[in-house]
Amino acid sequence: MPIKKNENDIKRFNIRMPQEMYDRIEVAAHKRGVAVSAFINMKLDEILKQDETAHAMNLMTDPVALQALMAQAQAMRGDE
């Protein structure tokens, strides 16, 4: 069961886009049975998760960043 948001937990803002893009988004949203705003929120969430994953992968493949993370983890455990 979805959590019902308090009206104070919702931020409203206007977004401008070409009509053609809006029409495409509206079709995609209706195919999934959701409102345009819900569809946009879902897609933005996907983009943010991809960005977070890419950032984590960059940290894991950057030897300097990985070494810093390892040192931080050791310090948190109290290792010397």
Side-chain angles (χ1 to χ4, degrees):
M1 179 178 218
I3 298 171
K4 190 170 184 178
K5 293 273 188 183
N6 182 328
E7 188 64 33
N8 294 330
D9 294 338
I10 304 295
K11 175 68 177 166
R12 291 181 141 279
F13 69 97
N14 293 324
I15 183 171
R16 298 178 75 147
M17 68 180 69
Q19 183 66 46
E20 181 180 304
M21 181 182 289
Y22 179 84
D23 294 342
R24 290 172 54 206
I25 291 170
E26 186 175 39
V27 167
H30 289 175
K31 282 182 182 177
R32 288 163 181 79
V34 298
V36 170
S37 62
F39 180 80
I40 292 171
N41 282 324
M42 289 186 318
K43 292 301 173 182
L44 289 173
D45 189 52
E46 286 176 19
I47 292 167
L48 292 172
K49 286 178 182 175
Q50 288 172 356
D51 286 351
E52 291 165 359
T53 300
H55 179 68
M57 291 302 291
N58 287 339
L59 287 176
M60 292 172 56
T61 57
D62 178 350
V64 174
L66 185 57
Q67 190 174 20
L69 286 173
M70 299 286 282
Q72 185 180 22
Q74 287 175 344
M76 289 176 68
R77 288 193 309 260
D79 296 350
E80 301 246 344

